[in-house]
mmCIF file of all heavy atoms in Angstrom:
data_model
loop_
_atom_site.group_PDB
_atom_site.id
_atom_site.type_symbol
_atom_site.label_atom_id
_atom_site.label_comp_id
_atom_site.label_asym_id
_atom_site.label_seq_id
_atom_site.Cartn_x
_atom_site.Cartn_y
_atom_site.Cartn_z
ATOM 1 N N GLY A 1 -3.285 -23.948 -31.242
ATOM 2 C CA GLY A 1 -4.393 -24.777 -30.804
ATOM 3 C C GLY A 1 -5.613 -23.911 -30.545
ATOM 4 O O GLY A 1 -5.861 -22.926 -31.243
ATOM 5 N N GLU A 2 -6.369 -24.254 -29.502
ATOM 6 C CA GLU A 2 -7.577 -23.497 -29.183
ATOM 7 C C GLU A 2 -7.250 -22.061 -28.782
ATOM 8 O O GLU A 2 -7.972 -21.131 -29.121
ATOM 9 C CB GLU A 2 -8.340 -24.196 -28.047
ATOM 10 C CG GLU A 2 -8.910 -25.550 -28.439
ATOM 11 C CD GLU A 2 -9.695 -26.164 -27.289
ATOM 12 O OE1 GLU A 2 -9.903 -25.472 -26.275
ATOM 13 O OE2 GLU A 2 -10.095 -27.334 -27.424
ATOM 14 N N ILE A 3 -6.162 -21.897 -28.031
ATOM 15 C CA ILE A 3 -5.718 -20.566 -27.611
ATOM 16 C C ILE A 3 -4.467 -20.221 -28.418
ATOM 17 O O ILE A 3 -3.541 -21.031 -28.488
ATOM 18 C CB ILE A 3 -5.377 -20.541 -26.108
ATOM 19 C CG1 ILE A 3 -6.574 -21.005 -25.286
ATOM 20 C CG2 ILE A 3 -4.925 -19.153 -25.679
ATOM 21 C CD1 ILE A 3 -6.265 -21.192 -23.820
ATOM 22 N N PRO A 4 -4.404 -19.036 -29.070
ATOM 23 C CA PRO A 4 -3.189 -18.651 -29.791
ATOM 24 C C PRO A 4 -1.973 -18.776 -28.886
ATOM 25 O O PRO A 4 -2.002 -18.337 -27.726
ATOM 26 C CB PRO A 4 -3.470 -17.192 -30.175
ATOM 27 C CG PRO A 4 -4.964 -17.097 -30.246
ATOM 28 C CD PRO A 4 -5.464 -18.018 -29.163
ATOM 29 N N LEU A 5 -0.895 -19.359 -29.399
ATOM 30 C CA LEU A 5 0.261 -19.656 -28.556
ATOM 31 C C LEU A 5 0.959 -18.408 -28.050
ATOM 32 O O LEU A 5 1.506 -18.409 -26.940
ATOM 33 C CB LEU A 5 1.232 -20.539 -29.334
ATOM 34 C CG LEU A 5 0.703 -21.944 -29.667
ATOM 35 C CD1 LEU A 5 1.721 -22.729 -30.484
ATOM 36 C CD2 LEU A 5 0.345 -22.709 -28.397
ATOM 37 N N ILE A 6 0.967 -17.332 -28.831
ATOM 38 C CA ILE A 6 1.576 -16.088 -28.354
ATOM 39 C C ILE A 6 0.807 -15.581 -27.138
ATOM 40 O O ILE A 6 1.400 -15.159 -26.135
ATOM 41 C CB ILE A 6 1.592 -15.013 -29.459
ATOM 42 C CG1 ILE A 6 2.454 -15.468 -30.634
ATOM 43 C CG2 ILE A 6 2.119 -13.687 -28.906
ATOM 44 C CD1 ILE A 6 2.487 -14.485 -31.784
ATOM 45 N N GLU A 7 -0.485 -15.621 -27.239
ATOM 46 C CA GLU A 7 -1.337 -15.189 -26.124
ATOM 47 C C GLU A 7 -1.058 -16.037 -24.889
ATOM 48 O O GLU A 7 -0.942 -15.524 -23.768
ATOM 49 C CB GLU A 7 -2.801 -15.313 -26.549
ATOM 50 C CG GLU A 7 -3.808 -14.855 -25.519
ATOM 51 C CD GLU A 7 -5.241 -14.984 -26.021
ATOM 52 O OE1 GLU A 7 -5.490 -14.665 -27.204
ATOM 53 O OE2 GLU A 7 -6.101 -15.412 -25.233
ATOM 54 N N ARG A 8 -0.956 -17.351 -25.093
ATOM 55 C CA ARG A 8 -0.707 -18.249 -23.960
ATOM 56 C C ARG A 8 0.654 -17.971 -23.319
ATOM 57 O O ARG A 8 0.773 -17.936 -22.088
ATOM 58 C CB ARG A 8 -0.768 -19.697 -24.421
ATOM 59 C CG ARG A 8 -0.561 -20.703 -23.291
ATOM 60 C CD ARG A 8 -0.827 -22.128 -23.717
ATOM 61 N NE ARG A 8 -0.671 -23.061 -22.612
ATOM 62 C CZ ARG A 8 -1.592 -23.299 -21.688
ATOM 63 N NH1 ARG A 8 -2.740 -22.664 -21.732
ATOM 64 N NH2 ARG A 8 -1.371 -24.169 -20.715
ATOM 65 N N ALA A 9 1.674 -17.753 -24.130
ATOM 66 C CA ALA A 9 3.019 -17.495 -23.602
ATOM 67 C C ALA A 9 3.052 -16.228 -22.758
ATOM 68 O O ALA A 9 3.631 -16.205 -21.660
ATOM 69 C CB ALA A 9 4.022 -17.395 -24.750
ATOM 70 N N LEU A 10 2.430 -15.171 -23.254
ATOM 71 C CA LEU A 10 2.422 -13.900 -22.529
ATOM 72 C C LEU A 10 1.610 -14.004 -21.241
ATOM 73 O O LEU A 10 1.993 -13.435 -20.213
ATOM 74 C CB LEU A 10 1.872 -12.787 -23.415
ATOM 75 C CG LEU A 10 2.755 -12.387 -24.603
ATOM 76 C CD1 LEU A 10 2.031 -11.392 -25.496
ATOM 77 C CD2 LEU A 10 4.081 -11.802 -24.126
ATOM 78 N N GLU A 11 0.501 -14.713 -21.295
ATOM 79 C CA GLU A 11 -0.327 -14.868 -20.097
ATOM 80 C C GLU A 11 0.410 -15.652 -19.011
ATOM 81 O O GLU A 11 0.449 -15.231 -17.847
ATOM 82 C CB GLU A 11 -1.635 -15.581 -20.459
ATOM 83 C CG GLU A 11 -2.597 -14.733 -21.275
ATOM 84 C CD GLU A 11 -3.803 -15.507 -21.765
ATOM 85 O OE1 GLU A 11 -3.836 -16.753 -21.573
ATOM 86 O OE2 GLU A 11 -4.715 -14.882 -22.335
ATOM 87 N N LEU A 12 1.000 -16.773 -19.399
ATOM 88 C CA LEU A 12 1.738 -17.573 -18.419
ATOM 89 C C LEU A 12 2.939 -16.800 -17.887
ATOM 90 O O LEU A 12 3.226 -16.822 -16.687
ATOM 91 C CB LEU A 12 2.189 -18.891 -19.035
ATOM 92 C CG LEU A 12 1.093 -19.881 -19.421
ATOM 93 C CD1 LEU A 12 1.714 -21.154 -20.013
ATOM 94 C CD2 LEU A 12 0.223 -20.240 -18.228
ATOM 95 N N GLY A 13 3.654 -16.128 -18.775
ATOM 96 C CA GLY A 13 4.811 -15.350 -18.347
ATOM 97 C C GLY A 13 4.440 -14.273 -17.351
ATOM 98 O O GLY A 13 5.141 -14.056 -16.346
ATOM 99 N N ALA A 14 3.332 -13.593 -17.593
ATOM 100 C CA ALA A 14 2.904 -12.514 -16.706
ATOM 101 C C ALA A 14 2.511 -13.041 -15.330
ATOM 102 O O ALA A 14 2.959 -12.530 -14.297
ATOM 103 C CB ALA A 14 1.742 -11.743 -17.334
ATOM 104 N N ILE A 15 1.661 -14.075 -15.287
ATOM 105 C CA ILE A 15 1.185 -14.543 -13.976
ATOM 106 C C ILE A 15 2.303 -15.230 -13.190
ATOM 107 O O ILE A 15 2.365 -15.110 -11.960
ATOM 108 C CB ILE A 15 -0.051 -15.462 -14.102
ATOM 109 C CG1 ILE A 15 0.268 -16.729 -14.897
ATOM 110 C CG2 ILE A 15 -1.212 -14.712 -14.699
ATOM 111 C CD1 ILE A 15 -0.880 -17.742 -14.899
ATOM 112 N N PHE A 16 3.205 -15.925 -13.880
ATOM 113 C CA PHE A 16 4.324 -16.554 -13.175
ATOM 114 C C PHE A 16 5.264 -15.494 -12.607
ATOM 115 O O PHE A 16 5.799 -15.649 -11.500
ATOM 116 C CB PHE A 16 5.093 -17.488 -14.107
ATOM 117 C CG PHE A 16 4.330 -18.737 -14.491
ATOM 118 C CD1 PHE A 16 4.753 -19.530 -15.550
ATOM 119 C CD2 PHE A 16 3.190 -19.109 -13.806
ATOM 120 C CE1 PHE A 16 4.061 -20.678 -15.908
ATOM 121 C CE2 PHE A 16 2.478 -20.262 -14.157
ATOM 122 C CZ PHE A 16 2.923 -21.048 -15.218
ATOM 123 N N THR A 17 5.473 -14.411 -13.343
ATOM 124 C CA THR A 17 6.323 -13.330 -12.848
ATOM 125 C C THR A 17 5.680 -12.659 -11.644
ATOM 126 O O THR A 17 6.360 -12.318 -10.669
ATOM 127 C CB THR A 17 6.582 -12.298 -13.957
ATOM 128 O OG1 THR A 17 7.241 -12.931 -15.054
ATOM 129 C CG2 THR A 17 7.463 -11.158 -13.449
ATOM 130 N N CYS A 18 4.363 -12.485 -11.692
ATOM 131 C CA CYS A 18 3.649 -11.874 -10.564
ATOM 132 C C CYS A 18 3.853 -12.661 -9.280
ATOM 133 O O CYS A 18 4.134 -12.087 -8.221
ATOM 134 C CB CYS A 18 2.166 -11.751 -10.879
ATOM 135 S SG CYS A 18 1.747 -10.508 -12.116
ATOM 136 N N VAL A 19 3.683 -13.980 -9.340
ATOM 137 C CA VAL A 19 3.800 -14.763 -8.109
ATOM 138 C C VAL A 19 5.254 -14.893 -7.668
ATOM 139 O O VAL A 19 5.524 -15.071 -6.477
ATOM 140 C CB VAL A 19 3.148 -16.164 -8.244
ATOM 141 C CG1 VAL A 19 1.657 -16.032 -8.437
ATOM 142 C CG2 VAL A 19 3.769 -16.983 -9.354
ATOM 143 N N GLU A 20 6.203 -14.766 -8.592
ATOM 144 C CA GLU A 20 7.606 -14.719 -8.194
ATOM 145 C C GLU A 20 7.858 -13.506 -7.303
ATOM 146 O O GLU A 20 8.616 -13.573 -6.330
ATOM 147 C CB GLU A 20 8.514 -14.660 -9.422
ATOM 148 C CG GLU A 20 8.755 -15.992 -10.085
ATOM 149 C CD GLU A 20 9.718 -15.885 -11.259
ATOM 150 O OE1 GLU A 20 10.277 -14.788 -11.472
ATOM 151 O OE2 GLU A 20 9.896 -16.886 -11.954
ATOM 152 N N THR A 21 7.228 -12.382 -7.642
ATOM 153 C CA THR A 21 7.401 -11.183 -6.810
ATOM 154 C C THR A 21 6.833 -11.413 -5.419
ATOM 155 O O THR A 21 7.377 -10.901 -4.428
ATOM 156 C CB THR A 21 6.734 -9.945 -7.448
ATOM 157 O OG1 THR A 21 5.309 -10.052 -7.386
ATOM 158 C CG2 THR A 21 7.176 -9.738 -8.882
ATOM 159 N N VAL A 22 5.751 -12.178 -5.314
ATOM 160 C CA VAL A 22 5.158 -12.472 -4.005
ATOM 161 C C VAL A 22 6.164 -13.208 -3.126
ATOM 162 O O VAL A 22 6.384 -12.854 -1.964
ATOM 163 C CB VAL A 22 3.872 -13.306 -4.156
ATOM 164 C CG1 VAL A 22 3.387 -13.798 -2.786
ATOM 165 C CG2 VAL A 22 2.779 -12.486 -4.824
ATOM 166 N N GLY A 23 6.801 -14.243 -3.694
ATOM 167 C CA GLY A 23 7.795 -14.985 -2.936
ATOM 168 C C GLY A 23 8.968 -14.114 -2.513
ATOM 169 O O GLY A 23 9.436 -14.179 -1.373
ATOM 170 N N GLY A 24 9.436 -13.260 -3.429
ATOM 171 C CA GLY A 24 10.537 -12.358 -3.114
ATOM 172 C C GLY A 24 10.163 -11.370 -2.029
ATOM 173 O O GLY A 24 10.939 -11.115 -1.096
ATOM 174 N N MET A 25 8.953 -10.821 -2.116
ATOM 175 C CA MET A 25 8.508 -9.846 -1.117
ATOM 176 C C MET A 25 8.375 -10.475 0.260
ATOM 177 O O MET A 25 8.726 -9.866 1.282
ATOM 178 C CB MET A 25 7.183 -9.221 -1.548
ATOM 179 C CG MET A 25 7.320 -8.171 -2.632
ATOM 180 S SD MET A 25 5.779 -7.259 -2.926
ATOM 181 C CE MET A 25 4.930 -8.391 -4.016
ATOM 182 N N GLU A 26 7.849 -11.686 0.318
ATOM 183 C CA GLU A 26 7.695 -12.354 1.616
ATOM 184 C C GLU A 26 9.055 -12.598 2.260
ATOM 185 O O GLU A 26 9.205 -12.452 3.482
ATOM 186 C CB GLU A 26 6.933 -13.663 1.441
ATOM 187 C CG GLU A 26 5.453 -13.469 1.137
ATOM 188 C CD GLU A 26 4.674 -14.764 1.061
ATOM 189 O OE1 GLU A 26 5.288 -15.806 0.775
ATOM 190 O OE2 GLU A 26 3.449 -14.730 1.300
ATOM 191 N N GLN A 27 10.044 -12.936 1.459
ATOM 192 C CA GLN A 27 11.380 -13.154 2.003
ATOM 193 C C GLN A 27 11.976 -11.842 2.508
ATOM 194 O O GLN A 27 12.617 -11.814 3.575
ATOM 195 C CB GLN A 27 12.286 -13.774 0.937
ATOM 196 C CG GLN A 27 13.696 -14.109 1.413
ATOM 197 C CD GLN A 27 13.717 -15.252 2.425
ATOM 198 O OE1 GLN A 27 12.686 -15.872 2.707
ATOM 199 N NE2 GLN A 27 14.887 -15.524 2.967
ATOM 200 N N VAL A 28 11.775 -10.771 1.770
ATOM 201 C CA VAL A 28 12.276 -9.464 2.197
ATOM 202 C C VAL A 28 11.633 -9.055 3.516
ATOM 203 O O VAL A 28 12.311 -8.560 4.429
ATOM 204 C CB VAL A 28 12.014 -8.402 1.102
ATOM 205 C CG1 VAL A 28 12.262 -6.993 1.643
ATOM 206 C CG2 VAL A 28 12.901 -8.656 -0.104
ATOM 207 N N LEU A 29 10.323 -9.262 3.638
ATOM 208 C CA LEU A 29 9.637 -8.930 4.886
ATOM 209 C C LEU A 29 10.146 -9.794 6.034
ATOM 210 O O LEU A 29 10.333 -9.290 7.163
ATOM 211 C CB LEU A 29 8.131 -9.104 4.725
ATOM 212 C CG LEU A 29 7.279 -8.823 5.975
ATOM 213 C CD1 LEU A 29 7.503 -7.406 6.482
ATOM 214 C CD2 LEU A 29 5.803 -9.066 5.690
ATOM 215 N N ASP A 30 10.377 -11.070 5.784
ATOM 216 C CA ASP A 30 10.901 -11.950 6.833
ATOM 217 C C ASP A 30 12.261 -11.463 7.314
ATOM 218 O O ASP A 30 12.536 -11.432 8.521
ATOM 219 C CB ASP A 30 11.023 -13.382 6.309
ATOM 220 C CG ASP A 30 9.671 -14.070 6.144
ATOM 221 O OD1 ASP A 30 8.678 -13.542 6.669
ATOM 222 O OD2 ASP A 30 9.619 -15.115 5.463
ATOM 223 N N LEU A 31 13.130 -11.087 6.382
ATOM 224 C CA LEU A 31 14.454 -10.580 6.751
ATOM 225 C C LEU A 31 14.352 -9.289 7.539
ATOM 226 O O LEU A 31 15.045 -9.101 8.554
ATOM 227 C CB LEU A 31 15.292 -10.351 5.485
ATOM 228 C CG LEU A 31 15.711 -11.585 4.688
ATOM 229 C CD1 LEU A 31 16.349 -11.172 3.363
ATOM 230 C CD2 LEU A 31 16.687 -12.437 5.490
ATOM 231 N N ALA A 32 13.479 -8.395 7.068
ATOM 232 C CA ALA A 32 13.341 -7.094 7.719
ATOM 233 C C ALA A 32 12.752 -7.214 9.124
ATOM 234 O O ALA A 32 13.222 -6.574 10.074
ATOM 235 C CB ALA A 32 12.478 -6.175 6.859
ATOM 236 N N SER A 33 11.712 -8.042 9.270
ATOM 237 C CA SER A 33 11.077 -8.186 10.585
ATOM 238 C C SER A 33 12.014 -8.877 11.580
ATOM 239 O O SER A 33 12.053 -8.509 12.768
ATOM 240 C CB SER A 33 9.764 -8.954 10.463
ATOM 241 O OG SER A 33 9.973 -10.245 9.922
ATOM 242 N N ALA A 34 12.793 -9.863 11.113
ATOM 243 C CA ALA A 34 13.755 -10.533 11.991
ATOM 244 C C ALA A 34 14.822 -9.550 12.461
ATOM 245 O O ALA A 34 15.206 -9.538 13.645
ATOM 246 C CB ALA A 34 14.397 -11.713 11.265
ATOM 247 N N TYR A 35 15.280 -8.695 11.565
ATOM 248 C CA TYR A 35 16.300 -7.698 11.930
ATOM 249 C C TYR A 35 15.724 -6.685 12.917
ATOM 250 O O TYR A 35 16.406 -6.267 13.858
ATOM 251 C CB TYR A 35 16.790 -6.983 10.668
ATOM 252 C CG TYR A 35 17.868 -5.959 10.920
ATOM 253 C CD1 TYR A 35 19.176 -6.353 11.185
ATOM 254 C CD2 TYR A 35 17.575 -4.591 10.902
ATOM 255 C CE1 TYR A 35 20.169 -5.412 11.422
ATOM 256 C CE2 TYR A 35 18.556 -3.651 11.137
ATOM 257 C CZ TYR A 35 19.852 -4.064 11.396
ATOM 258 O OH TYR A 35 20.836 -3.125 11.637
ATOM 259 N N ALA A 36 14.460 -6.280 12.706
ATOM 260 C CA ALA A 36 13.831 -5.302 13.596
ATOM 261 C C ALA A 36 13.696 -5.834 15.020
ATOM 262 O O ALA A 36 13.670 -5.053 15.982
ATOM 263 C CB ALA A 36 12.460 -4.915 13.056
ATOM 264 N N LYS A 37 13.609 -7.148 15.188
ATOM 265 C CA LYS A 37 13.507 -7.741 16.519
ATOM 266 C C LYS A 37 14.879 -7.854 17.192
ATOM 267 O O LYS A 37 14.969 -7.888 18.421
ATOM 268 C CB LYS A 37 12.879 -9.131 16.418
ATOM 269 C CG LYS A 37 11.434 -9.130 15.934
ATOM 270 C CD LYS A 37 10.929 -10.541 15.698
ATOM 271 C CE LYS A 37 9.522 -10.541 15.111
ATOM 272 N NZ LYS A 37 9.050 -11.910 14.784
ATOM 273 N N GLU A 38 15.945 -7.909 16.376
ATOM 274 C CA GLU A 38 17.289 -8.119 16.918
ATOM 275 C C GLU A 38 18.052 -6.805 17.114
ATOM 276 O O GLU A 38 18.771 -6.648 18.107
ATOM 277 C CB GLU A 38 18.086 -9.027 15.983
ATOM 278 C CG GLU A 38 17.503 -10.421 15.830
ATOM 279 C CD GLU A 38 18.201 -11.220 14.749
ATOM 280 O OE1 GLU A 38 19.122 -10.664 14.114
ATOM 281 O OE2 GLU A 38 17.821 -12.383 14.525
ATOM 282 N N ARG A 39 17.895 -5.884 16.183
ATOM 283 C CA ARG A 39 18.661 -4.632 16.223
ATOM 284 C C ARG A 39 18.125 -3.718 17.320
ATOM 285 O O ARG A 39 16.933 -3.432 17.367
ATOM 286 C CB ARG A 39 18.553 -3.925 14.866
ATOM 287 C CG ARG A 39 19.208 -2.548 14.819
ATOM 288 C CD ARG A 39 20.724 -2.672 14.767
ATOM 289 N NE ARG A 39 21.332 -1.415 14.376
ATOM 290 C CZ ARG A 39 21.703 -0.452 15.233
ATOM 291 N NH1 ARG A 39 21.476 -0.614 16.530
ATOM 292 N NH2 ARG A 39 22.257 0.649 14.797
#
């Protein structure tokens, strides 16, 4: 279409993977901070 599909696939894949790391990192920090308050 207007945007080459290979380009679109790589762009979406990259940005979706980036925000997945954000969610994972926030969970890791939540686990670590909760443990630091208890241990």
